[in-house]
Amino acid sequence: MKPLDRKLLRDLNHIRGQVIAIAAVIAVGVLLQVMMSGLVTSLTETRRAYYERNRLANVFASLTRAPDSQLAILAEIPGVARVEGRVRGAALVNLPDEAVPIQARATSLEERGEQLLNQVYLTEGRMPGQASRDEILLLAGFAAAHDIAPGDTLNVTMNGARRTLRITGLAQSPELLYAAAPGQMVPDPARFAVIWMQRTSLAAAYDMSGAFNEVLFALGRGASEPEVIDRIDSVLDRWGGTGAYGRDDLVSDRFVQEEIAGLETMARSVPPLFLAVAAFLLYIVVSRIVQSEREEIGLLKAFGYTNGEVGSHYFKMVLIVATAGAAVGCILGILSGRAMIPVYTKFYNFPFLVFRPDPTSFVIGVGASIAAASAGGLFVLRRVFALDPAEAMRPPAPADYSRTVTFDGPVGRMLDQPSRMILRGVARRPWRVAALIAGVAGGMALSAGMTTIYGSFDTMQDLSFTVIDRSDATVVFNTPLSEKAALELARVPGVLRVEPTRDVSAILRNGLKTQRGAVSGMIADTELSRAIDKDLRPIPLPERGIVLSQSLADILEIEPGEMLTIEVREGRRPVLEVPVVRVARSLIGTPAYMQLDALNREMKEPLRITSARLMVDPARADEIYATLSDMPTVAGVTVAEDLQASLQRLMDEGAGSARYIMGVVAFVITFGIVYNAARIAQTELNRDLASLRVMGFSKGEAAFVLLGELGLIMLVAVPLGSVLGYGLSILIAKGFSSEIYQIPTGFDPWSHGFAASFTLAAAMVSGWLVKRDLDRTALIDVLKSRE
Amino acid sequence: MTIAFTAKGLTKTYGEGRSAVHALRGVDLEIPQGEIVVMLGASGSGKSTLLNILGGLDHASTGTVHFRDICLTDLDDSGLTRYRREHVGFVFQFYNLMPSLTARENVELVTEIADNPMRPEEALELVGLKERVDHFPSQLSGGEQQRVAIARAIAKQPEVLFCDEPTGALDSATGRAVLRVLNEVNQRLGATVLMVTHAANIAGMAHKVIRLADGQIREVEQNETRLSPEEVVW
């Protein structure tokens, strides 16, 4: 090994604390880059392969009932490559140990052989027999949640009739990556089942023989999806079609897409932040080394080493730190990516998902680290090149402070000399101090932002289930019923309050902006489910007009006072024009509220309800749910507690779980920056501090000069970080918010206090670490060196 | 004659076992108050180690050192800090001024924590820098910087002034100016001046010359007649 390389290794060992801290910052940046872009690639590729292999339809349409003969007409539509009609029905699964019946969906399987579209993926067992009337496939996720295996039987209520069905296999489907029960935003594998049955048996159960109520389309190359959808709608209109829609509007696909987009945004925006911080720290540390090794540099040049040789010696230092950090980041990125895969396979029903690190992410990660570090390194090289040997061999001239601050004023004269040293140090190189302040404030902001977000997730849950929706359970009926159904529910012993609701599925339109969803009609004096304003006060529902959730108003870009078009997709399918009256705070989903009477009036269908919210006596809850499950009109019961639990799971295991990683990273980075700031101050002041000690200043007095600057930095950085953290929390909340849930934001004193305490604690620990080293420094060695 | 320092059986060993370096191997010494004492010796002779121990910057391995009735070898770290703060001043080869403080402020750094200091301006006048009090180190020549360092060291009116190669980085004219200042400090303040140097010629201006070699005192010489700083040959 060349002597210079040996020197390099020893130098690195000497400053290993800082080297590790900087490499860690780089590693975290690269880790996130590799992990997130790897997940993006894996999810995108797997989704594409799964859709292709199992022939996911391009367009979907539901209708009331159409004879099979219509399929031929649909197949004639230009652009349509394949058509497949299906029978689909709502069902309830009754499990012996579950008080509440579980919502289920029954879907037909093509009997004549292979399914053309939306093929199921068999994970276990076999397909139902051709002629069998009671054999089914069951959704694998549901089976796993209840420990059900092929060979078991299942009690299912279909169209009011109870049947016992035999499970021959477990399956997944590309249309069910995100499997949430109808009307539910949040998937709960234990509370939503899908069963597949031979078409003849299912058609018999739902009175659909020779007919279909759902149709799937594969489009040919170059087909225009909007045009095809228009043509399909015009054919299905007379058969009760609710409007065809493309893959983009398929709930399952939309959520997966949103997840991928979220990961992509984070992969693009977060890592550069880390690399910039690392580059700055590297620059400071290495330029400090160059400054202290002027003599050696001069000597090497005097021996005949070229600028390039000497420069590359220091440049190598930068490269080693950057490369080591990036390499560790790559490895950890792959490991954490792999660790995230089970989370995704569990959450999204992918039959197979392999973490495939994106090769370009390595190139980008390592390349960007080296480039960022080199940018810092180049400034350092400039100084190395500028040193001429003779100049370097002389002791350096003292740093010029003549243009900083004079302390002639009355306040200035009161300052003691150590304080003046601190202030002039700051004044001489304001940019360096500003950069350190920015670094620490950035760390503090990340910490405050992330802590706020933790709280916001809890606030969201809390508000959703104690302020907005205070019901204990929601009962969904098979079909719209008269208001008498609510009275029937109220008569069940233990039911304390019943509030009927009518949900009407509709396309909401404001100009070109549309959203498929539902309008909820609620009674005027609703107590259990309310629209609230930003101050958490209930918004009274108007006689005429609609109240939109903020999330929906944002999607539709509509404001109170404007008219909203509601294209109802059921019943007479009227197109309504209603004024938007208020915008309500929204936390879960994208609800739209109207008064029940007003909605029914608009629909010209008086006294109809589709669901009811209940408040029940907790002591009798199980008994009540058992009674409800026996009612033939009930399609499903959702218990608020279960919903809350599944939401919590969603936030902890889905995209929301990234908040834990980011939280840890925020605190690690804050410490890294603060520690480096303290170390940098120490190396720069080493000599001055030793002089003070020799003059008889105590360790504490000398440490004041060292830590004074750090204190000043903290003094500015903490409040600044708090302000930035507030802004950041809004951005992060936006990033985490989706159509499923919206993270509320606000200034949370506790979170900011916590982050500030952590940042200050990091400063104290760093201060203590450098002070410990300072106390151990051999005074004489420092003073007799030439700087 | 009052004795400032008494050292008995002083040893200093760095490291352990086979790699141990014996910087001092049993030094006995007395230094009278108010004299200029020059310690001469080749590199590695132990002169700087001895100076550091006497100055309270380093601990002896064995033996005792007394400054008057204070036993330095008994003092802990904070005791030594107090000793340096109250009794001694230091001047180093590379000045070690605070670049962020003006000449006056550098001196004030010491007068602020001393019990009975002279005015900073007075100290600077003593070293001939009355006109340069508001200049920063970057605006002073090497000789001027060293004189500020001396002003800073004497401003607390120390009983002892330790100088480690004070002229090592200076040319002959500035070197002589510095020696002149040291001589004056000795005469006007009655401070004992202990100077470590390679330069044997400086020995001529001392009251006493101590020669060290291999960690031991080889010779102590009392100058009958002393040279003035101007007579020191460079």
Side-chain angles (χ1 to χ4, degrees):
Chain A
M1 190 185 276
K2 285 185 197 167
L4 269 186
D5 291 337
R6 215 168 292 147
K7 170 181 178 305
L8 177 66
L9 292 182
R10 288 194 188 126
D11 287 348
L12 284 171
N13 182 45
H14 185 64
I15 53 163
R16 59 185 174 276
Q18 282 175 280
V19 166
I20 292 170
I22 296 171
V25 174
I26 295 177
V28 170
V30 174
L31 179 159
L32 292 173
Q33 155 90 23
V34 168
M35 181 186 85
M36 288 175 175
S37 57
L39 284 173
V40 168
T41 316
S42 308
L43 288 173
T44 313
E45 276 303 299
T46 309
R47 182 179 66 140
R48 191 193 54 74
Y50 189 26
Y51 285 0
E52 205 174 278
R53 205 179 298 176
N54 290 57
R55 300 188 193 157
L56 180 70
N58 298 108
V59 174
F60 308 77
S62 295
L63 52 146
T64 315
R65 189 180 199 280
D68 284 345
S69 56
Q70 292 297 313
L71 289 173
I73 298 170
L74 290 169
E76 295 289 299
I77 295 174
V80 170
R82 277 201 200 110
V83 183
E84 186 163 300
R86 294 202 300 196
V87 175
R88 173 173 155 165
L92 284 177
V93 172
N94 308 290
L95 291 179
D97 50 350
E98 292 277 326
V100 189
I102 295 164
Q103 285 201 66
R105 193 171 97 190
T107 305
S108 65
L109 288 169
E110 206 50 47
E111 271 158 17
R112 290 183 296 270
E114 220 183 35
Q115 203 86 1
L116 289 177
L117 296 170
N118 291 19
Q119 290 175 338
V120 294
Y121 178 89
L122 202 61
T123 60
E124 222 181 313
R126 60 167 176 85
M127 296 294 283
Q130 290 280 352
S132 76
R133 294 178 54 81
D134 59 355
E135 288 188 345
I136 57 164
L137 291 180
L138 182 64
L139 184 64
F142 177 79
H146 293 284
D147 224 2
I148 299 172
D152 293 348
T153 57
L154 201 64
N155 279 316
V156 182
T157 310
M158 296 166 102
N159 210 13
R162 276 211 181 202
R163 297 179 63 175
T164 301
L165 303 171
R166 178 162 303 279
I167 301 157
T168 62
L170 305 180
Q172 291 178 336
S173 163
E175 61 187 312
L176 292 168
L177 286 179
Y178 186 95
Q184 299 293 326
M185 296 302 281
V186 183
D188 182 352
R191 300 293 313 166
F192 178 57
V194 176
I195 58 177
W196 288 268
M197 256 178 120
Q198 294 297 3
R199 183 160 169 193
T200 326
S201 345
L202 196 64
Y206 287 93
D207 200 14
M208 283 280 167
S209 298
F212 62 95
N213 62 1
E214 191 175 48
V215 58
L216 309 171
F217 300 86
L219 303 189
R221 226 174 257 262
S224 152
E225 190 180 290
E227 276 173 32
V228 174
I229 285 176
D230 277 349
R231 303 286 292 270
I232 294 171
D233 282 347
S234 65
V235 174
L236 294 181
D237 212 27
R238 56 185 286 240
W239 305 105
T242 56
Y245 55 92
R247 261 188 208 173
D248 284 350
D249 279 321
L250 183 69
V251 174
S252 160
D253 189 65
R254 209 165 64 212
F255 287 128
V256 179
Q257 267 186 43
E258 224 172 273
E259 175 80 35
I260 294 174
L263 280 170
E264 256 175 340
T265 318
M266 290 218 273
R268 263 201 307 271
S269 56
V270 180
L273 218 83
F274 286 77
L275 296 182
V277 168
F280 168 67
L281 292 177
L282 260 181
Y283 162 67
I284 299 271
V285 170
V286 179
S287 66
R288 180 65 217 167
I289 292 173
V290 167
Q291 173 69 17
S292 68
E293 293 186 352
R294 294 162 45 87
E295 201 175 333
E296 284 91 330
I297 294 170
L299 200 65
L300 289 171
K301 287 189 178 181
F303 286 163
Y305 278 86
T306 63
N307 269 336
E309 284 162 334
V310 182
S312 76
H313 169 63
Y314 292 95
F315 203 66
K316 269 186 206 163
M317 183 176 278
V318 172
L319 288 186
I320 287 177
V321 178
T323 317
V328 171
C330 285
I331 295 167
L332 292 180
I334 294 174
L335 293 180
S336 16
R338 285 202 183 137
M340 288 296 284
I341 286 295
V343 172
Y344 280 97
T345 30
K346 192 173 159 208
F347 195 73
Y348 295 104
N349 296 298
F350 282 110
F352 48 89
L353 183 59
V354 183
F355 182 68
R356 296 225 327 236
D358 177 8
T360 54
S361 76
F362 294 127
V363 179
I364 292 173
V366 175
S369 309
I370 290 174
S374 305
L378 285 177
F379 282 101
V380 176
L381 285 190
R382 219 181 43 185
R383 298 172 82 162
V384 174
F385 291 161
L387 273 177
D388 87 76
E391 165 75 17
M393 302 293 279
R394 280 192 291 274
D400 187 2
Y401 282 82
S402 59
R403 275 183 292 260
T404 53
V405 209
T406 52
F407 294 99
D408 297 335
V411 181
R413 274 198 290 273
M414 280 163 60
L415 287 173
D416 63 3
Q417 305 312 320
S419 307
R420 291 180 185 202
M421 288 172 69
I422 296 170
L423 294 176
R424 287 217 181 97
V426 172
R428 180 165 166 267
R429 284 190 289 170
W431 288 113
R432 190 189 65 100
V433 174
L436 286 175
I437 288 174
V440 176
M444 157 85 191
L446 263 180
S447 305
M450 287 316 301
T451 319
T452 303
I453 293 298
Y454 285 176
S456 301
F457 272 80
D458 294 338
T459 309
M460 192 261 287
Q461 283 251 21
D462 202 40
L463 289 181
S464 300
F465 292 99
T466 58
V467 180
I468 296 181
D469 189 344
R470 300 189 292 184
S471 64
D472 295 317
T474 304
V475 175
V476 180
F477 301 116
N478 285 327
T479 48
L481 299 177
S482 95
E483 272 183 305
K484 282 184 196 147
L487 297 175
E488 206 178 313
L489 293 178
R491 277 199 293 274
V492 175
V495 171
L496 304 178
R497 188 177 168 90
V498 178
E499 287 188 2
T501 309
R502 174 164 197 188
D503 290 316
V504 172
S505 68
I507 294 172
L508 307 174
R509 190 184 298 280
N510 175 38
L512 292 174
K513 300 278 170 192
T514 62
Q515 168 81 352
R516 295 180 73 88
V519 178
S520 300
M522 302 194 296
I523 55 172
D525 54 348
T526 171
E527 286 276 312
L528 298 183
S529 172
R530 308 175 301 174
I532 55 164
D533 66 12
K534 61 180 180 5
D535 298 320
L536 307 183
R537 282 185 306 245
I539 297 175
L541 295 179
E543 288 274 333
R544 186 176 142 65
I546 192 164
V547 175
L548 299 184
S549 55
Q550 186 67 56
S551 48
L552 184 55
D554 289 346
I555 293 171
L556 295 173
E557 293 177 10
I558 198 165
E559 283 177 20
E562 297 185 90
M563 294 300 283
L564 175 73
T565 308
I566 305 174
E567 297 171 9
V568 177
R569 307 309 299 177
E570 56 181 71
R572 294 181 312 100
R573 313 211 329 190
V575 175
L576 315 175
E577 292 283 332
V578 291
V580 175
V581 181
R582 289 278 292 270
V583 169
R585 183 170 183 163
S586 58
L587 296 167
I588 297 183
T590 51
Y593 312 92
M594 280 181 82
Q595 236 189 61
L596 180 60
D597 293 340
L599 179 63
N600 278 334
R601 213 166 36 239
E602 295 279 7
M603 293 285 292
K604 299 204 166 57
E605 291 172 347
L607 309 175
R608 285 300 180 88
I609 63 172
T610 55
S611 63
R613 284 190 168 74
L614 308 185
M615 190 197 259
V616 301
D617 177 357
R620 311 181 72 169
D622 283 356
E623 183 191 324
I624 294 167
Y625 300 144
T627 313
L628 294 176
S629 65
D630 281 338
M631 293 186 171
T633 49
V634 171
V637 179
T638 312
V639 179
E641 244 171 52
D642 294 344
L643 189 62
Q644 192 168 358
S646 55
L647 183 64
Q648 183 69 50
R649 213 169 27 242
L650 168 76
M651 296 187 306
D652 287 348
E653 294 173 5
S657 65
R659 73 189 190 275
Y660 294 118
I661 300 176
M662 286 175 66
V664 171
V665 164
F667 284 100
V668 168
I669 264 240
T670 307
F671 185 81
I673 296 170
V674 173
Y675 174 73
N676 265 293
R679 268 280 174 250
I680 289 163
Q682 186 212 356
T683 46
E684 296 201 330
L685 290 170
N686 218 5
R687 198 181 175 81
D688 290 358
L689 298 172
S691 294
L692 289 174
R693 294 279 291 125
V694 167
M695 275 180 249
F697 279 72
S698 68
K699 285 176 179 172
E701 287 164 332
F704 169 73
V705 175
L706 167 63
L707 301 178
E709 182 181 285
L710 187 62
L712 274 183
I713 289 173
M714 299 307 287
L715 204 67
V716 182
V718 168
L720 179 66
S722 185
V723 173
L724 293 178
Y726 174 69
L728 192 65
S729 68
I730 293 175
L731 288 181
I732 302 175
K734 260 203 186 126
F736 273 120
S737 295
S738 60
E739 276 183 41
I740 313 172
Y741 55 77
Q742 291 97 44
I743 302 301
T745 46
F747 182 80
D748 175 25
W750 188 89
S751 300
H752 285 254
F754 181 80
S757 308
F758 177 85
T759 312
L760 292 173
M764 276 187 243
V765 172
S766 306
W768 176 76
L769 285 173
V770 294
K771 182 176 179 300
R772 196 189 55 173
D773 278 8
L774 176 67
D775 293 347
R776 287 176 182 167
T777 309
L779 300 179
I780 299 307
D781 296 347
V782 178
L783 293 175
K784 294 186 85 173
S785 69
R786 305 171 74 195
E787 171 76 19
Chain B
M1 183 174 65
T2 321
I3 301 298
F5 288 99
T6 315
K8 286 202 177 112
L10 214 54
T11 70
K12 177 71 187 180
T13 310
Y14 295 104
E16 280 173 19
R18 297 183 63 182
S19 62
V21 176
H22 301 280
L24 293 179
R25 303 164 183 261
V27 169
D28 297 312
L29 167 82
E30 274 192 349
I31 294 174
Q33 173 73 45
E35 289 197 345
I36 295 179
V37 178
V38 167
M39 293 199 268
L40 288 175
S43 192
S45 61
K47 56 188 191 307
S48 287
T49 308
L50 181 57
L51 184 91
N52 293 340
I53 292 173
L54 296 177
L57 293 172
D58 206 349
H59 293 274
S61 300
T62 59
T64 56
V65 187
H66 280 83
F67 169 70
R68 296 190 186 152
D69 51 354
I70 305 171
C71 180
L72 298 186
T73 32
D74 281 353
L75 294 180
D76 62 4
D77 202 62
S78 63
L80 286 178
T81 300
R82 203 163 49 246
Y83 161 69
R84 292 198 300 267
R85 188 169 183 145
E86 290 168 4
H87 303 287
V88 304
F90 283 92
V91 176
F92 289 96
Q93 182 179 1
F94 296 118
Y95 333 134
N96 295 319
L97 295 178
M98 303 295 161
S100 55
L101 299 178
T102 60
R104 187 211 314 267
E105 288 167 342
N106 260 291
V107 178
E108 281 173 346
L109 199 56
V110 166
T111 58
E112 274 172 4
I113 60 166
D115 285 337
N116 181 30
M118 59 174 84
R119 285 187 309 107
E121 293 78 6
E122 197 183 334
L124 286 164
E125 193 176 345
L126 206 61
V127 297
L129 286 177
K130 197 174 143 194
E131 312 300 322
R132 315 278 282 166
V133 290
D134 287 325
H135 286 66
F136 282 91
S138 60
Q139 298 166 309
L140 300 172
S141 71
E144 286 172 329
Q145 287 183 54
Q146 188 60 303
R147 281 188 281 160
V148 175
I150 294 171
R152 188 175 68 180
I154 61 169
K156 68 165 82 158
Q157 312 218 43
E159 284 119 301
V160 193
L161 189 59
F162 290 97
C163 309
D164 197 347
E165 304 279 7
T167 56
L170 303 174
D171 61 48
S172 59
T174 14
R176 265 193 210 99
V178 165
L179 291 181
R180 203 160 42 235
V181 170
L182 291 176
N183 199 36
E184 199 164 323
V185 168
N186 169 254
Q187 284 175 359
R188 280 184 46 183
L189 305 177
T192 309
V193 176
L194 258 169
M195 204 182 325
V196 158
T197 179
H198 278 99
N201 42 13
I202 295 177
M205 66 173 275
H207 292 94
K208 186 187 269 193
V209 181
I210 300 174
R211 288 178 205 278
L212 287 105
D214 298 330
Q216 288 174 320
I217 295 179
R218 286 295 155 89
E219 190 185 4
V220 180
E221 192 184 328
Q222 198 76 30
N223 281 336
E224 296 301 322
T225 50
R226 295 171 54 220
L227 300 179
S228 74
E230 281 73 19
E231 292 169 303
V232 172
V233 181
W234 221 264

